[in-house]
Amino acid sequence: MHRVPVGVRRATVMGWDVLSWCLAFGLLVLLRYDLTLSDPQWLAALSYTGAAIVLTVVGGNVFHLYLGRSRVGSYSEASSLAFMTMAITALLGVAFLFV
């Protein structure tokens, strides 16, 4: 059986996290705002999503979520990812509140 290289596995998990933020953005704008945002609102929403993606990738590497710290899909990984996502959301919420 052929094993998938470590770099490919890490990039796949990272890509899934990025895709999750993109899907969340798309669903929010479609379902909540019916795709009718003003230009400043589009800029803010895209900036928030971009910042969340960057912080997720950086946080995932810092906390070793992409480096095999825990098994993918395990309780440990899910709770670490949930904590990191809540921290990023709170941090960006406060930052965007003041900007």
Side-chain angles (χ1 to χ4, degrees):
M1 184 164 88
H2 181 15
R3 289 187 54 108
V4 178
V6 174
V8 172
R9 283 186 284 161
R10 289 178 185 165
T12 301
V13 174
M14 204 178 302
W16 182 255
D17 287 348
V18 169
L19 180 63
S20 296
W21 278 110
C22 293
L23 288 174
F25 167 76
L27 285 172
L28 171 76
V29 171
L30 177 65
L31 297 176
R32 173 68 171 97
Y33 297 106
D34 222 12
L35 297 175
T36 56
L37 297 176
S38 65
D39 287 341
Q41 289 172 324
W42 276 110
L43 180 62
L46 288 170
S47 298
Y48 182 94
T49 304
I53 288 170
V54 169
L55 289 174
T56 298
V57 170
V58 169
N61 284 306
V62 168
F63 295 115
H64 301 281
L65 292 176
Y66 304 134
L67 304 176
R69 175 180 178 184
S70 56
R71 180 176 230 163
V72 174
S74 68
Y75 180 76
S76 174
E77 192 240 3
S79 58
S80 296
L81 188 57
F83 176 76
M84 186 179 73
T85 302
M86 287 188 295
I88 288 169
T89 302
L91 176 71
L92 287 177
V94 169
F96 274 70
L97 183 66
F98 290 113
V99 171

Coordinates of all heavy atoms in Angstrom, one line a residue:
M1 N 0.8 -1.2 0.0 CA 0.0 0.0 0.0 C 0.9 1.2 0.0 O 1.9 1.3 0.7 CB -0.9 0.0 1.2 CG -1.9 1.1 1.2 SD -3.2 0.9 2.4 CE -2.5 1.6 3.9
H2 N 0.5 2.2 -0.8 CA 1.3 3.4 -0.9 C 0.8 4.5 0.1 O -0.3 4.8 0.2 CB 1.1 4.0 -2.4 CG 1.9 5.2 -2.7 ND1 2.9 5.7 -1.9 CD2 1.8 6.1 -3.7 CE1 3.4 6.8 -2.4 NE2 2.7 7.1 -3.5
R3 N 1.8 5.0 0.9 CA 1.5 6.0 1.8 C 1.5 7.4 1.2 O 2.4 7.7 0.4 CB 2.4 5.9 3.0 CG 2.2 4.7 3.9 CD 3.1 4.8 5.1 NE 2.9 6.0 5.8 CZ 2.3 6.1 7.0 NH1 1.8 5.0 7.6 NH2 2.2 7.2 7.6
V4 N 0.6 8.3 1.6 CA 0.6 9.7 1.2 C 1.7 10.4 1.9 O 1.9 10.3 3.1 CB -0.8 10.3 1.5 CG1 -0.8 11.8 1.0 CG2 -1.9 9.5 0.8
P5 N 2.5 11.2 1.2 CA 3.6 11.9 1.8 C 3.1 12.9 2.9 O 2.0 13.4 2.8 CB 4.2 12.7 0.7 CG 3.9 12.0 -0.6 CD 2.5 11.4 -0.3
V6 N 3.9 13.1 3.9 CA 3.5 13.9 5.1 C 3.1 15.3 4.6 O 2.1 15.9 5.1 CB 4.6 13.9 6.1 CG1 4.2 14.9 7.2 CG2 4.9 12.6 6.7
G7 N 3.9 15.9 3.7 CA 3.6 17.3 3.3 C 2.2 17.4 2.6 O 1.5 18.4 2.8
V8 N 1.9 16.3 1.9 CA 0.6 16.3 1.2 C -0.6 16.2 2.2 O -1.6 16.9 2.1 CB 0.5 15.2 0.1 CG1 -0.9 15.1 -0.5 CG2 1.5 15.4 -1.0
R9 N -0.4 15.4 3.2 CA -1.4 15.2 4.2 C -1.6 16.5 5.0 O -2.7 17.0 5.2 CB -1.0 14.1 5.2 CG -1.3 12.7 4.6 CD -1.1 11.7 5.6 NE 0.4 11.5 5.8 CZ 1.0 10.9 6.8 NH1 0.3 10.4 7.8 NH2 2.3 10.8 6.8
R10 N -0.5 17.2 5.3 CA -0.6 18.5 6.1 C -1.2 19.5 5.2 O -2.1 20.3 5.7 CB 0.8 18.9 6.5 CG 1.4 18.1 7.6 CD 2.8 18.5 7.9 NE 3.4 17.6 8.9 CZ 4.7 17.6 9.2 NH1 5.5 18.4 8.6 NH2 5.1 16.7 10.1
A11 N -0.9 19.6 3.9 CA -1.5 20.6 3.0 C -2.9 20.3 2.8 O -3.7 21.3 2.7 CB -0.7 20.6 1.7
T12 N -3.3 19.1 2.8 CA -4.8 18.7 2.7 C -5.6 19.2 3.9 O -6.6 19.8 3.7 CB -4.9 17.2 2.5 OG1 -4.2 16.8 1.3 CG2 -6.4 16.8 2.3
V13 N -5.1 18.9 5.1 CA -5.8 19.3 6.3 C -5.8 20.9 6.4 O -6.9 21.5 6.7 CB -5.1 18.8 7.5 CG1 -5.7 19.3 8.8 CG2 -5.2 17.2 7.5
M14 N -4.7 21.5 6.0 CA -4.7 23.0 6.0 C -5.7 23.5 5.0 O -6.4 24.5 5.3 CB -3.3 23.4 5.7 CG -2.9 24.8 6.2 SD -1.2 25.2 5.8 CE -0.3 24.0 6.6
G15 N -5.7 22.9 3.8 CA -6.6 23.4 2.7 C -8.1 23.2 3.1 O -8.9 24.0 2.8
W16 N -8.3 22.1 3.9 CA -9.7 21.9 4.4 C -10.1 23.0 5.3 O -11.3 23.5 5.3 CB -9.8 20.5 5.0 CG -11.2 20.2 5.5 CD1 -11.6 20.2 6.8 CD2 -12.3 19.9 4.7 NE1 -13.0 19.9 6.8 CE2 -13.4 19.7 5.5 CE3 -12.5 19.8 3.3 CZ2 -14.7 19.4 5.0 CZ3 -13.8 19.5 2.8 CH2 -14.8 19.3 3.7
D17 N -9.2 23.4 6.2 CA -9.5 24.5 7.1 C -9.8 25.8 6.4 O -10.7 26.5 6.7 CB -8.4 24.7 8.2 CG -8.4 23.5 9.2 OD1 -9.4 22.8 9.3 OD2 -7.4 23.5 9.9
V18 N -9.0 26.1 5.4 CA -9.2 27.3 4.6 C -10.5 27.2 3.8 O -11.3 28.2 3.8 CB -8.0 27.5 3.6 CG1 -8.3 28.5 2.5 CG2 -6.7 27.8 4.3
L19 N -10.8 26.1 3.2 CA -12.1 25.9 2.5 C -13.2 26.1 3.5 O -14.3 26.6 3.1 CB -12.1 24.5 1.9 CG -13.4 24.2 1.1 CD1 -13.6 25.1 -0.1 CD2 -13.3 22.7 0.6
S20 N -13.1 25.6 4.7 CA -14.2 25.8 5.7 C -14.5 27.2 6.0 O -15.7 27.6 6.1 CB -13.8 25.1 7.0 OG -13.7 23.7 6.8
W21 N -13.4 28.1 6.1 CA -13.7 29.5 6.3 C -14.3 30.1 5.1 O -15.2 31.0 5.2 CB -12.4 30.2 6.6 CG -12.0 30.2 8.0 CD1 -10.9 29.5 8.6 CD2 -12.6 30.8 9.2 NE1 -10.9 29.7 9.9 CE2 -11.9 30.5 10.3 CE3 -13.7 31.6 9.3 CZ2 -12.2 30.9 11.6 CZ3 -14.0 32.1 10.6 CH2 -13.3 31.7 11.7
C22 N -13.9 29.7 3.9 CA -14.5 30.2 2.6 C -16.0 29.8 2.5 O -16.8 30.7 2.1 CB -13.7 29.7 1.4 SG -12.0 30.4 1.3
L23 N -16.3 28.6 2.9 CA -17.7 28.1 2.8 C -18.5 28.9 3.9 O -19.7 29.3 3.6 CB -17.8 26.6 3.1 CG -17.3 25.8 1.9 CD1 -17.3 24.3 2.3 CD2 -18.1 25.9 0.7
A24 N -18.0 29.1 5.0 CA -18.7 29.8 6.1 C -19.0 31.3 5.6 O -20.1 31.8 5.8 CB -17.9 29.9 7.4
F25 N -18.0 31.9 5.0 CA -18.2 33.2 4.4 C -19.3 33.2 3.4 O -20.2 34.1 3.4 CB -16.9 33.8 3.8 CG -17.1 35.0 3.0 CD1 -17.3 36.2 3.6 CD2 -17.1 34.9 1.6 CE1 -17.5 37.3 2.8 CE2 -17.2 36.0 0.8 CZ -17.4 37.2 1.4
G26 N -19.2 32.3 2.4 CA -20.2 32.2 1.4 C -21.6 32.0 1.9 O -22.6 32.7 1.5
L27 N -21.8 31.1 2.8 CA -23.1 30.8 3.4 C -23.6 32.0 4.2 O -24.8 32.3 4.1 CB -23.0 29.5 4.3 CG -23.0 28.2 3.5 CD1 -22.7 27.1 4.5 CD2 -24.2 28.0 2.7
L28 N -22.8 32.6 5.0 CA -23.2 33.8 5.7 C -23.7 34.9 4.8 O -24.8 35.4 5.0 CB -22.1 34.4 6.6 CG -22.4 35.7 7.2 CD1 -23.3 35.5 8.4 CD2 -21.1 36.4 7.6
V29 N -22.9 35.2 3.8 CA -23.3 36.3 2.9 C -24.6 35.9 2.1 O -25.5 36.7 1.9 CB -22.2 36.6 1.9 CG1 -22.6 37.6 0.8 CG2 -21.0 37.2 2.7
L30 N -24.7 34.7 1.7 CA -25.9 34.2 0.9 C -27.1 34.2 1.8 O -28.1 34.7 1.4 CB -25.6 32.9 0.3 CG -26.7 32.3 -0.5 CD1 -27.0 33.1 -1.7 CD2 -26.4 30.8 -0.9
L31 N -27.0 33.5 2.9 CA -28.2 33.2 3.7 C -28.6 34.4 4.6 O -29.8 34.7 4.8 CB -28.0 32.0 4.6 CG -27.8 30.7 3.9 CD1 -27.5 29.6 4.9 CD2 -29.0 30.3 3.0
R32 N -27.7 35.1 5.1 CA -28.0 36.3 6.0 C -28.2 37.6 5.2 O -29.1 38.3 5.5 CB -26.9 36.5 7.0 CG -27.0 37.7 7.9 CD -28.2 37.5 8.9 NE -28.2 38.6 9.8 CZ -28.9 39.7 9.7 NH1 -29.6 39.9 8.7 NH2 -28.9 40.6 10.7
Y33 N -27.4 37.8 4.2 CA -27.5 39.1 3.5 C -28.0 39.0 2.1 O -28.0 40.0 1.4 CB -26.1 39.8 3.6 CG -25.7 40.1 5.0 CD1 -24.7 39.4 5.6 CD2 -26.3 41.1 5.7 CE1 -24.3 39.6 6.9 CE2 -25.9 41.4 7.0 CZ -24.9 40.7 7.6 OH -24.5 41.0 8.8
D34 N -28.3 37.8 1.6 CA -28.8 37.6 0.3 C -27.9 38.2 -0.8 O -28.4 38.7 -1.8 CB -30.2 38.2 0.2 CG -31.2 37.3 -0.5 OD1 -30.9 36.2 -0.8 OD2 -32.3 37.8 -0.8
L35 N -26.6 38.2 -0.5 CA -25.6 38.7 -1.5 C -25.8 40.2 -1.7 O -25.3 40.7 -2.8 CB -25.6 37.9 -2.8 CG -25.3 36.4 -2.7 CD1 -25.4 35.8 -4.0 CD2 -23.9 36.2 -2.2
T36 N -26.4 40.9 -0.8 CA -26.6 42.4 -1.1 C -25.9 43.2 0.0 O -26.5 43.9 0.8 CB -28.1 42.7 -1.0 OG1 -28.6 42.3 0.3 CG2 -28.9 42.0 -2.1
L37 N -24.6 43.1 -0.1 CA -23.7 43.9 0.8 C -23.2 45.2 0.1 O -23.0 45.1 -1.2 CB -22.5 43.1 1.3 CG -22.8 41.9 2.1 CD1 -21.5 41.2 2.4 CD2 -23.5 42.2 3.4
S38 N -23.0 46.2 0.8 CA -22.4 47.4 0.2 C -21.0 47.2 0.0 O -20.4 46.2 0.5 CB -22.7 48.6 1.1 OG -22.0 48.5 2.3
D39 N -20.3 48.0 -0.8 CA -18.9 47.8 -1.0 C -18.0 47.8 0.3 O -17.2 46.9 0.5 CB -18.3 48.9 -1.9 CG -18.8 48.7 -3.4 OD1 -19.2 47.5 -3.7 OD2 -18.7 49.6 -4.2
P40 N -18.3 48.7 1.3 CA -17.5 48.6 2.5 C -17.8 47.3 3.3 O -16.9 46.8 3.9 CB -18.0 49.8 3.3 CG -18.5 50.8 2.3 CD -19.1 50.0 1.2
Q41 N -19.1 46.9 3.2 CA -19.4 45.6 3.9 C -18.7 44.4 3.3 O -18.2 43.5 3.9 CB -20.9 45.4 3.9 CG -21.7 46.3 4.8 CD -23.2 46.2 4.7 OE1 -23.7 46.0 3.6 NE2 -23.9 46.4 5.8
W42 N -18.6 44.4 1.9 CA -17.9 43.3 1.2 C -16.4 43.3 1.6 O -15.9 42.3 1.9 CB -18.0 43.5 -0.3 CG -19.2 42.9 -0.9 CD1 -20.3 43.6 -1.4 CD2 -19.6 41.5 -1.0 NE1 -21.2 42.7 -1.9 CE2 -20.8 41.4 -1.6 CE3 -18.9 40.3 -0.7 CZ2 -21.4 40.2 -1.9 CZ3 -19.5 39.1 -0.9 CH2 -20.8 39.1 -1.5
L43 N -15.9 44.5 1.7 CA -14.5 44.7 2.1 C -14.2 44.2 3.5 O -13.3 43.4 3.8 CB -14.0 46.1 1.9 CG -12.5 46.4 2.3 CD1 -11.6 45.6 1.4 CD2 -12.3 47.9 2.2
A44 N -15.1 44.5 4.4 CA -15.0 44.1 5.8 C -15.1 42.6 5.9 O -14.4 41.9 6.6 CB -16.0 44.8 6.7
A45 N -16.1 42.0 5.2 CA -16.4 40.6 5.3 C -15.2 39.8 4.7 O -14.8 38.8 5.3 CB -17.7 40.3 4.6
L46 N -14.7 40.3 3.6 CA -13.6 39.6 2.9 C -12.3 39.7 3.8 O -11.5 38.8 3.9 CB -13.4 40.1 1.5 CG -14.4 39.7 0.5 CD1 -14.3 40.4 -0.8 CD2 -14.3 38.2 0.3
S47 N -12.1 40.9 4.4 CA -10.9 41.1 5.2 C -11.0 40.2 6.5 O -10.0 39.7 6.8 CB -10.9 42.6 5.7 OG -10.8 43.5 4.6
Y48 N -12.2 40.1 7.1 CA -12.3 39.3 8.2 C -12.0 37.8 7.9 O -11.3 37.1 8.6 CB -13.8 39.4 8.8 CG -14.0 38.6 10.0 CD1 -13.9 39.1 11.3 CD2 -14.3 37.2 9.9 CE1 -14.1 38.4 12.4 CE2 -14.6 36.5 11.1 CZ -14.4 37.1 12.3 OH -14.6 36.3 13.4
T49 N -12.6 37.4 6.7 CA -12.4 36.0 6.3 C -10.9 35.7 6.0 O -10.3 34.7 6.4 CB -13.2 35.7 5.1 OG1 -14.6 35.9 5.5 CG2 -13.1 34.2 4.7
G50 N -10.3 36.7 5.3 CA -8.8 36.5 5.0 C -8.0 36.5 6.3 O -7.1 35.7 6.4
A51 N -8.3 37.4 7.2 CA -7.5 37.4 8.5 C -7.8 36.1 9.2 O -6.8 35.5 9.8 CB -7.9 38.6 9.3
A52 N -9.0 35.6 9.2 CA -9.3 34.3 9.9 C -8.5 33.2 9.3 O -8.0 32.3 10.0 CB -10.8 34.1 9.9
I53 N -8.4 33.2 8.0 CA -7.7 32.1 7.3 C -6.2 32.2 7.7 O -5.6 31.1 8.0 CB -7.9 32.2 5.7 CG1 -9.3 31.8 5.4 CG2 -6.8 31.4 5.0 CD1 -9.7 32.1 3.9
V54 N -5.6 33.4 7.6 CA -4.2 33.5 8.0 C -4.0 33.1 9.4 O -3.0 32.3 9.7 CB -3.7 35.0 7.7 CG1 -2.4 35.2 8.3 CG2 -3.7 35.3 6.2
L55 N -4.8 33.5 10.3 CA -4.6 33.2 11.7 C -4.9 31.7 12.0 O -4.2 31.1 12.8 CB -5.6 34.0 12.6 CG -5.2 35.5 12.8 CD1 -6.3 36.2 13.5 CD2 -3.9 35.7 13.4
T56 N -5.8 31.1 11.2 CA -6.0 29.6 11.4 C -4.8 28.8 10.9 O -4.3 27.9 11.6 CB -7.2 29.2 10.6 OG1 -8.4 29.9 11.1 CG2 -7.4 27.7 10.7
V57 N -4.2 29.2 9.8 CA -3.0 28.5 9.3 C -1.8 28.7 10.2 O -1.1 27.8 10.6 CB -2.7 29.0 7.8 CG1 -1.3 28.4 7.4 CG2 -3.8 28.5 6.9
V58 N -1.6 30.0 10.7 CA -0.5 30.2 11.6 C -0.8 29.5 12.9 O 0.1 28.9 13.4 CB -0.4 31.8 11.8 CG1 0.6 32.1 13.0 CG2 0.1 32.4 10.5
G59 N -2.0 29.6 13.5 CA -2.3 29.0 14.7 C -2.2 27.5 14.6 O -1.7 26.8 15.5
G60 N -2.6 26.9 13.5 CA -2.5 25.5 13.3 C -1.1 25.0 13.3 O -0.8 23.9 13.8
N61 N -0.2 25.8 12.7 CA 1.2 25.4 12.8 C 1.9 25.7 14.1 O 2.7 24.9 14.6 CB 2.0 26.2 11.7 CG 1.8 25.7 10.3 OD1 1.9 24.5 10.1 ND2 1.3 26.5 9.4
V62 N 1.5 26.8 14.8 CA 2.1 27.1 16.1 C 1.6 26.0 17.1 O 2.5 25.5 17.9 CB 1.6 28.5 16.6 CG1 1.9 28.7 18.0 CG2 2.3 29.5 15.7
F63 N 0.4 25.6 17.1 CA -0.1 24.6 18.0 C 0.0 23.2 17.5 O -0.6 22.3 18.1 CB -1.6 24.9 18.4 CG -1.7 26.2 19.2 CD1 -2.4 27.3 18.6 CD2 -1.1 26.4 20.4 CE1 -2.5 28.5 19.3 CE2 -1.2 27.6 21.1 CZ -1.9 28.7 20.5
H64 N 0.7 23.0 16.4 CA 1.0 21.7 15.9 C -0.2 20.9 15.4 O -0.1 19.7 15.4 CB 1.9 20.9 16.8 CG 3.2 21.6 17.2 ND1 4.3 21.6 16.4 CD2 3.5 22.3 18.3 CE1 5.2 22.3 17.0 NE2 4.8 22.7 18.1
L65 N -1.3 21.6 15.1 CA -2.4 20.8 14.6 C -2.2 20.2 13.2 O -2.7 19.2 12.9 CB -3.6 21.8 14.5 CG -4.2 22.3 15.8 CD1 -5.3 23.3 15.6 CD2 -4.7 21.1 16.6
Y66 N -1.3 20.9 12.4 CA -1.0 20.3 11.1 C 0.3 19.5 11.1 O 0.7 18.9 10.1 CB -0.8 21.5 10.1 CG -2.0 22.4 10.0 CD1 -1.8 23.8 10.0 CD2 -3.3 21.9 9.9 CE1 -2.9 24.6 9.9 CE2 -4.3 22.7 9.8 CZ -4.2 24.1 9.8 OH -5.2 24.9 9.7
L67 N 0.9 19.4 12.2 CA 2.2 18.7 12.4 C 2.0 17.3 13.0 O 3.0 16.7 13.4 CB 3.2 19.5 13.1 CG 3.5 20.9 12.5 CD1 4.4 21.7 13.4 CD2 4.0 20.8 11.1
G68 N 0.8 16.8 13.2 CA 0.6 15.5 13.8 C 0.5 15.5 15.3 O 0.8 14.4 15.9
R69 N 0.2 16.6 15.9 CA 0.1 16.6 17.4 C -0.9 15.6 17.9 O -0.7 14.9 18.9 CB -0.2 18.0 17.9 CG -0.4 18.1 19.4 CD -0.8 19.5 19.8 NE -1.0 19.5 21.2 CZ -1.4 20.6 21.8 NH1 -1.6 21.7 21.1 NH2 -1.7 20.6 23.1
S70 N -2.0 15.5 17.2 CA -3.0 14.5 17.5 C -3.6 14.0 16.2 O -3.5 14.6 15.1 CB -4.1 15.2 18.4 OG -4.7 16.3 17.7
R71 N -4.3 12.9 16.3 CA -4.8 12.2 15.2 C -6.0 13.0 14.6 O -6.8 13.6 15.3 CB -5.4 10.8 15.6 CG -6.0 10.0 14.5 CD -6.3 8.7 15.0 NE -5.8 7.8 14.0 CZ -5.6 6.5 14.2 NH1 -6.0 6.0 15.4 NH2 -5.2 5.7 13.3
V72 N -6.1 13.1 13.3 CA -7.1 13.9 12.6 C -8.5 13.3 13.0 O -8.7 12.1 12.9 CB -6.9 13.9 11.1 CG1 -8.0 14.6 10.4 CG2 -5.6 14.6 10.7
G73 N -9.4 14.2 13.4 CA -10.7 13.7 13.7 C -10.9 13.2 15.2 O -12.0 12.9 15.6
S74 N -9.8 13.2 15.9 CA -9.9 12.8 17.3 C -10.5 13.8 18.2 O -10.6 15.0 17.8 CB -8.5 12.4 17.8 OG -7.7 13.6 18.0
Y75 N -10.9 13.4 19.4 CA -11.5 14.4 20.3 C -10.4 15.5 20.7 O -10.8 16.6 20.8 CB -11.9 13.7 21.6 CG -12.5 14.6 22.6 CD1 -13.8 15.1 22.5 CD2 -11.8 15.0 23.7 CE1 -14.3 16.0 23.4 CE2 -12.3 15.9 24.6 CZ -13.6 16.4 24.5 OH -14.1 17.2 25.4
S76 N -9.2 15.1 20.8 CA -8.1 16.0 21.1 C -8.0 17.1 20.0 O -7.9 18.3 20.3 CB -6.8 15.3 21.4 OG -5.8 16.2 21.5
E77 N -8.0 16.6 18.8 CA -7.8 17.5 17.7 C -9.1 18.4 17.5 O -8.9 19.6 17.3 CB -7.6 16.7 16.4 CG -7.1 17.6 15.2 CD -8.1 17.6 14.0 OE1 -9.1 17.0 14.1 OE2 -7.8 18.3 13.0
A78 N -10.2 17.8 17.7 CA -11.5 18.6 17.6 C -11.6 19.7 18.6 O -11.9 20.8 18.4 CB -12.7 17.7 17.6
S79 N -11.2 19.4 19.9 CA -11.3 20.4 20.9 C -10.2 21.4 20.8 O -10.5 22.6 21.0 CB -11.2 19.7 22.3 OG -10.0 19.0 22.4
S80 N -9.0 21.0 20.3 CA -8.0 22.0 20.0 C -8.4 23.0 18.9 O -8.2 24.2 19.0 CB -6.6 21.4 19.7 OG -6.2 20.6 20.7
L81 N -8.9 22.4 17.9 CA -9.4 23.3 16.7 C -10.5 24.2 17.1 O -10.6 25.3 16.7 CB -9.8 22.4 15.6 CG -10.1 23.1 14.3 CD1 -8.9 23.9 13.8 CD2 -10.4 22.0 13.2
A82 N -11.5 23.7 17.9 CA -12.6 24.5 18.4 C -12.1 25.6 19.3 O -12.5 26.8 19.1 CB -13.6 23.6 19.2
F83 N -11.2 25.3 20.2 CA -10.6 26.4 21.0 C -9.9 27.5 20.2 O -10.1 28.7 20.4 CB -9.6 25.8 22.1 CG -9.0 26.9 22.9 CD1 -9.7 27.5 23.9 CD2 -7.7 27.2 22.6 CE1 -9.0 28.5 24.7 CE2 -7.0 28.2 23.4 CZ -7.7 28.8 24.4
M84 N -9.1 27.0 19.2 CA -8.4 27.9 18.4 C -9.3 28.8 17.5 O -9.2 30.0 17.4 CB -7.4 27.2 17.4 CG -6.5 28.1 16.6 SD -5.4 27.3 15.6 CE -6.4 26.6 14.3
T85 N -10.4 28.2 17.0 CA -11.4 28.9 16.2 C -12.1 29.9 17.1 O -12.3 31.1 16.6 CB -12.4 27.9 15.6 OG1 -11.7 27.0 14.8 CG2 -13.4 28.6 14.7
M86 N -12.5 29.6 18.3 CA -13.1 30.5 19.2 C -12.2 31.7 19.5 O -12.6 32.8 19.6 CB -13.6 29.8 20.5 CG -14.8 29.0 20.2 SD -15.6 28.3 21.7 CE -14.2 27.3 22.4
A87 N -10.9 31.4 19.8 CA -10.0 32.4 20.1 C -9.8 33.4 18.9 O -9.8 34.6 19.1 CB -8.6 31.8 20.5
I88 N -9.7 32.8 17.7 CA -9.5 33.7 16.5 C -10.8 34.5 16.3 O -10.7 35.7 16.0 CB -9.3 32.8 15.3 CG1 -7.9 32.2 15.3 CG2 -9.5 33.5 14.0 CD1 -7.6 31.1 14.3
T89 N -12.0 33.9 16.5 CA -13.2 34.7 16.3 C -13.3 35.8 17.3 O -13.7 36.9 16.9 CB -14.4 33.7 16.5 OG1 -14.3 32.7 15.5 CG2 -15.7 34.4 16.3
A90 N -13.0 35.6 18.5 CA -13.0 36.6 19.6 C -12.0 37.7 19.3 O -12.3 38.9 19.4 CB -12.7 36.0 21.0
L91 N -10.8 37.3 18.9 CA -9.7 38.3 18.6 C -10.1 39.2 17.4 O -10.0 40.4 17.5 CB -8.4 37.5 18.3 CG -7.2 38.4 17.9 CD1 -6.7 39.2 19.1 CD2 -6.1 37.5 17.3
L92 N -10.6 38.5 16.4 CA -11.0 39.3 15.2 C -12.2 40.1 15.5 O -12.4 41.3 15.0 CB -11.2 38.4 14.0 CG -9.9 37.8 13.4 CD1 -10.3 36.9 12.2 CD2 -9.0 38.9 12.9
G93 N -13.1 39.6 16.3 CA -14.4 40.4 16.6 C -14.0 41.6 17.3 O -14.5 42.7 17.0
V94 N -13.1 41.6 18.3 CA -12.7 42.8 19.0 C -11.9 43.7 18.1 O -12.2 44.9 18.1 CB -11.8 42.4 20.3 CG1 -11.2 43.6 20.9 CG2 -12.7 41.6 21.3
A95 N -11.0 43.2 17.3 CA -10.2 44.0 16.4 C -11.1 44.7 15.4 O -11.0 45.9 15.2 CB -9.2 43.2 15.6
F96 N -12.1 44.0 14.8 CA -13.0 44.7 13.9 C -14.0 45.6 14.5 O -14.5 46.5 13.9 CB -13.7 43.6 13.0 CG -12.9 43.2 11.8 CD1 -11.8 42.4 12.0 CD2 -13.3 43.5 10.5 CE1 -11.0 42.0 10.9 CE2 -12.5 43.1 9.4 CZ -11.4 42.4 9.6
L97 N -14.3 45.4 15.8 CA -15.2 46.3 16.5 C -14.5 47.7 16.6 O -15.2 48.7 16.5 CB -15.5 45.7 17.9 CG -16.4 46.5 18.8 CD1 -17.8 46.5 18.1 CD2 -16.5 45.9 20.2
F98 N -13.2 47.7 16.9 CA -12.5 49.0 17.0 C -12.0 49.6 15.8 O -11.6 50.7 15.7 CB -11.3 48.8 18.0 CG -11.8 48.5 19.4 CD1 -11.6 47.3 20.0 CD2 -12.5 49.5 20.1 CE1 -12.0 47.1 21.3 CE2 -12.9 49.3 21.4 CZ -12.7 48.1 22.0
V99 N -12.1 48.8 14.7 CA -11.6 49.4 13.4 C -12.7 49.9 12.6 O -13.5 50.3 12.4 CB -10.8 48.3 12.6 CG1 -10.5 48.8 11.2 CG2 -9.6 47.9 13.3

